Amino acid sequence: MFESIITEKINQIATDLGSSDLKFSINNPSNKDFGDLATNIALILAGKLKKQPLEIAEEIKEKLLELELIDKIEIKAPGFINIFLKQTSFLEVLHESLSKEDFGQKNIGKNKKVVLEHTNVNPNKALHIGHLRNSCLGSSCEKILEFLGYDIEAQYYVDDTGVQVAVTTLGLKRLYEQPKKGEKYDHFAGRVYVQMMKEIEKSPELQEEQKKIIHELDSQNGDGAYIAKEMATKVIYSNLETMHNLNIDYDLLVWENDIINEGFWGRAFVILKLNHHFKHVKEGKNEGCWVIENILGEDKVIVKSNGVATYTGKDIAYHMWKFNLLAKDFRYRAWPKKLQEKDLYTTSSDGIEKHIFGHADLVVNFVDVRQTFPQMAVKESLKALGFKKQAENLMHVGYGIVFLSPETARELGIDTRDDKSHYAMSGRLGIGILADDLLSLVEQKIKESHPDSPATKDVTIGAIKYHMLKYNTYSDIVFDLKQATDFYGNSGPYLQYTYARAKSVLSKAENAIKTPEKYDDLNLEEKNILQAVSQFSAAIEEAGKQYSPSILCNYLYELSKLFNTFYGRHPVLAPSNTDETINFRLALTKSVSIVLRKGLTLLGMPAPEKM
């Protein structure tokens, strides 16, 4: 709040001085002798205005002092502006956080619908730890954008006609395997997939049979299509159970075969063929194919020479539907065996038309960075078709890959004698850790370290999600079990513990907490906390703009550290405190608990009141 008000004022001052769109900083000095806030705007303007920084700083100082929240300003060479805030400004933040139910919220997404696509695991196996990063990122961004006022629709794209589904289908036909007693169906299907891949690699006969099944999936004819549909449905049931155990849910399942069978691809292909950017190739390596020309320097095949649409071709049709560009809708039915609280629907040939899905103003796809080229092909295709606005509003969030730390890899039985810094996972080779197994392993570790904790399941979810979210979305991460379950480092349990500590303090208050009308004895730790509380809304907005929950993670971690420092140095309920001091510190503690609870919820993490 403080930073945004001062930033707006500085931008106005700079514009009046003849310069705009400047990049300058406003930071929180660690040494409060240099103010509550400091800015380098005078140094930035000096070069543009051909004046001395100290001279410009004095001009800016006089204008900034017009703001009610500022107590005084000091100028320091070579031109830094150090801002000291009024005590009443800090109390105003406390008042707002305690009195406003919507504290931290902004309505920047009003009347805008976002179709947000995440998870999208091929329906032939269980989810592994890499898939979890996708789901955690997508689910958290869904909550953050909703908090910012957007109308959000979370979709799960079910690729039930792909190569991996064909491999598992062939395995079910050839290997005569059955689930073991107590084995989840998605674990069983993944086991069949790994075993069948090994068989296919050494058998030309099986390679030909795999191609036949792929054709059956594309045409939705034959035994292969029937077996695949039954298998994929059972796998999705199991996958959704895993997601439910992590408090992740969806609004709609979109099945790839419905894009074909319900005529979406056919209608899109008619439109594509009329556009000069799409060519039917007569010769060369793509002879007989339809391509979109010059995507990132090469042609992208949309329809293969046998007339079958590629994954990208079907994805183009899917996104044209998302933006309501095909004048056509799916039919839907409620998904049976409901686990999640909100209603879940699925596209279905025997469903009914609802006309509530799609119609996006903005589309956000969480698809790993290795799929950047196909995602770019869809965006460029929309642009080539003349849908420039929709192309601009199609966002691909290409998140980084998840690796395992050497210690975690060893604990999972992976050979680490080659002494690598991290270890990659492979579903095809069966190397890695499944999401269900990770849940069990993390829960076991938390039970071992905190056997009396009443919040083991909540802390398990918090440990996993926070470790997936705390890193920059676009960077690779190395998952480490020890770090994830640490109650004292930059971890989910640490944030949850801080929240539980605040609630414990509040539960011991003998009198009702009153919102302080005035308080003249703010110490450094209390000011730091209130300054951090004032930044809550800005942190959420930035996390939403960048589709990066790590920004909110970092904010909550810093707030937690500030509160724990305050808690250690300034006892809240000490008998030596005056009633005024006790009441103020209780109000401050309540403010922190409100922000932590909201922040944890936006990350998809439980906020246990007892640890």
Side-chain angles (χ1 to χ4, degrees):
M1 184 174 76
F2 301 142
E3 286 90 336
S4 61
I5 293 172
I6 293 171
T7 297
E8 185 178 348
K9 182 67 173 178
I10 289 175
N11 280 325
Q12 177 193 325
I13 295 169
T15 300
D16 292 343
L17 291 172
S19 195
S20 58
D21 298 323
L22 297 174
K23 291 185 178 180
F24 58 93
S25 67
I26 295 181
N27 55 48
N28 305 318
S30 55
N31 184 345
K32 290 304 178 180
D33 289 340
F34 298 122
D36 299 306
L37 296 168
T39 178
N40 65 345
I41 180 61
L43 299 171
I44 303 297
L45 278 171
K48 296 181 177 295
L49 302 180
K50 308 300 182 185
K51 289 184 177 181
Q52 291 298 318
L54 288 172
E55 181 184 349
I56 295 172
E58 288 294 341
E59 291 183 50
I60 294 172
K61 172 183 174 179
E62 295 308 312
K63 296 290 184 181
L64 282 179
L65 284 171
E66 295 172 0
L67 293 173
E68 280 295 318
L69 58 84
I70 295 177
D71 181 34
K72 66 176 182 176
I73 291 176
E74 294 179 355
I75 307 299
K76 297 292 182 182
F80 290 108
I81 301 173
N82 298 333
I83 301 167
F84 296 81
L85 303 172
K86 291 178 180 177
Q87 297 271 39
T88 53
S89 301
F90 291 100
L91 284 180
E92 188 178 335
V93 171
L94 184 61
H95 289 181
E96 286 193 19
S97 66
L98 295 176
S99 63
K100 290 188 176 181
E101 188 66 30
D102 63 350
F103 179 71
Q105 287 187 256
K106 289 187 177 180
N107 207 16
I108 60 177
K110 186 178 180 181
N111 299 324
K112 293 180 182 177
K113 179 165 184 187
V114 178
V115 169
L116 192 152
E117 180 188 330
H118 68 84
T119 304
N120 299 359
V121 180
N122 290 319
N124 75 313
K125 59 181 174 296
L127 294 91
H128 59 60
I129 191 173
H131 299 132
L132 277 189
R133 189 176 192 207
N134 182 317
S135 305
C136 292
L137 284 168
S139 179
S140 178
C141 281
E142 174 191 353
K143 291 176 172 62
I144 289 169
L145 292 173
E146 192 170 45
F147 193 78
L148 292 171
Y150 292 91
D151 175 18
I152 307 294
E153 179 178 303
Q155 296 187 3
Y156 186 136
Y157 184 77
V158 186
D159 180 9
D160 58 334
T161 64
V163 173
Q164 294 192 27
V165 170
V167 171
T168 305
T169 301
L170 179 56
L172 293 175
K173 290 180 68 175
R174 281 297 197 106
L175 299 176
Y176 306 108
E177 286 277 354
Q178 294 295 323
K180 298 174 182 176
K181 186 177 180 179
E183 185 178 28
K184 279 185 71 194
Y185 191 85
D186 54 352
H187 289 223
F188 158 70
R191 183 162 56 80
V192 170
Y193 169 72
V194 171
Q195 189 175 344
M196 197 66 228
M197 276 301 303
K198 294 175 181 176
E199 298 294 327
I200 289 173
E201 286 176 354
K202 59 188 180 185
S203 171
E205 177 192 350
L206 290 176
Q207 291 166 17
E208 288 303 312
E209 192 168 352
Q210 178 192 354
K211 291 178 183 177
K212 178 184 174 184
I213 290 176
I214 291 173
H215 180 74
E216 290 177 348
L217 297 181
D218 285 328
S219 63
Q220 287 297 294
N221 287 315
D223 289 344
Y226 175 80
I227 294 170
K229 183 66 176 180
E230 183 179 40
M231 180 269 295
T233 301
K234 289 181 179 179
V235 167
I236 288 294
Y237 276 129
S238 292
N239 288 169
L240 290 176
E241 183 181 349
T242 301
M243 291 292 94
H244 175 69
N245 290 334
L246 281 158
N247 297 341
I248 294 173
D249 53 23
Y250 308 86
D251 295 298
L252 179 66
L253 305 175
V254 178
W255 294 73
E256 187 170 287
N257 74 64
D258 287 330
I259 291 174
I260 302 293
N261 294 338
E262 300 302 308
F264 290 85
W265 162 245
R267 184 168 294 194
F269 190 34
V270 169
I271 297 171
L272 289 168
K273 286 191 292 187
L274 295 174
N275 189 280
H276 68 278
H277 290 283
F278 295 84
K279 302 290 185 184
H280 188 234
V281 181
K282 304 297 185 182
E283 58 185 12
K285 67 174 184 178
N286 291 329
E287 182 180 354
C289 300
W290 283 87
V291 303
I292 176 174
E293 293 184 308
N294 195 27
I295 299 295
L296 298 180
E298 61 178 275
D299 295 345
K300 180 64 178 174
V301 175
I302 303 300
V303 181
K304 292 180 280 189
S305 59
N306 62 2
V308 174
T310 62
Y311 179 89
T312 299
K314 288 174 277 192
D315 214 21
I316 292 169
Y318 178 31
H319 283 81
M320 291 177 74
W321 166 77
K322 285 182 182 180
F323 283 115
N324 195 33
L325 300 175
L326 291 176
K328 180 177 176 58
D329 204 355
F330 290 100
R331 285 174 286 179
Y332 309 93
R333 61 180 173 84
W335 182 253
K337 296 185 180 179
K338 181 180 174 182
L339 288 169
Q340 60 187 46
E341 288 186 17
K342 68 178 179 180
D343 292 333
L344 173 63
Y345 287 87
T346 177
T347 59
S348 175
S349 59
D350 59 0
I352 60 172
E353 292 188 6
K354 291 188 73 71
H355 303 296
I356 61 173
F357 297 108
H359 299 268
D361 297 300
L362 176 67
V363 170
V364 181
N365 296 335
F366 284 83
V367 183
D368 82 51
V369 69
R370 293 169 293 189
Q371 299 301 315
T372 297
F373 181 69
Q375 287 286 310
M376 183 62 71
V378 174
K379 190 179 185 80
E380 291 300 314
S381 296
L382 290 176
K383 195 182 297 183
L385 289 169
F387 303 119
K388 293 184 179 180
K389 180 181 178 181
Q390 288 81 0
E392 289 172 0
N393 289 323
L394 171 56
M395 308 297 172
H396 168 221
V397 183
Y399 63 92
I401 311 304
V402 179
F403 298 92
L404 299 176
S405 71
E407 294 79 8
T408 300
R410 278 194 294 274
E411 193 161 348
L412 296 171
I414 296 173
D415 187 351
T416 60
R417 286 176 294 181
D418 52 4
D419 200 26
K420 294 180 181 177
S421 61
H422 55 266
Y423 289 82
M425 292 171 287
S426 169
R428 186 175 71 86
L429 299 175
I431 298 174
I433 179 171
L434 299 182
D436 295 312
D437 296 337
L438 179 66
L439 273 161
S440 298
L441 185 57
V442 171
E443 184 173 349
Q444 176 188 334
K445 282 193 166 295
I446 290 168
K447 282 181 178 178
E448 289 172 357
S449 61
H450 294 77
D452 299 324
S453 173
T456 301
K457 289 190 179 299
D458 286 347
V459 178
T460 297
I461 294 171
I464 292 171
K465 284 193 169 182
Y466 188 81
H467 205 68
M468 292 292 178
L469 297 173
K470 72 176 183 177
Y471 301 98
N472 181 288
T473 297
Y474 306 97
S475 65
D476 293 342
I477 70 172
V478 178
F479 190 90
D480 185 85
L481 276 168
K482 185 177 179 181
Q483 289 182 14
T485 56
D486 184 3
F487 274 58
Y488 305 104
N490 185 5
S491 69
Y494 176 72
L495 268 59
Q496 291 172 311
Y497 175 75
T498 304
Y499 174 74
R501 167 177 273 180
K503 295 298 289 185
S504 175
V505 171
L506 295 171
S507 71
K508 296 171 184 175
E510 295 180 357
N511 301 315
I513 301 169
K514 299 176 183 178
T515 302
E517 292 300 322
K518 69 185 190 72
Y519 188 74
D520 298 325
D521 297 320
L522 272 174
N523 60 48
L524 177 61
E525 287 75 26
E526 291 163 345
K527 288 175 69 173
N528 284 341
I529 288 174
L530 288 173
Q531 196 162 334
V533 169
S534 78
Q535 297 163 347
F536 180 47
S537 180
I540 296 170
E541 183 177 357
E542 195 61 27
K545 283 181 179 178
Q546 295 191 30
Y547 309 113
S548 188
S550 65
I551 294 169
L552 181 56
C553 289
N554 292 334
Y555 167 81
L556 294 175
Y557 177 52
E558 292 303 321
L559 176 63
S560 296
K561 287 196 297 182
L562 290 173
F563 177 76
N564 286 317
T565 298
F566 157 76
Y567 179 87
R569 294 179 182 175
H570 306 286
V572 176
L573 299 171
S576 58
N577 289 342
T578 65
D579 290 345
E580 182 185 34
T581 298
I582 289 174
N583 183 73
F584 173 79
R585 290 180 180 173
L586 283 170
L588 184 68
T589 300
K590 186 176 180 181
S591 174
V592 170
S593 74
I594 288 170
V595 171
L596 282 175
R597 177 178 51 78
K598 286 187 176 187
L600 289 169
T601 300
L602 293 177
L603 295 177
M605 293 167 56
E609 297 195 1
K610 293 183 179 180
M611 294 272 286

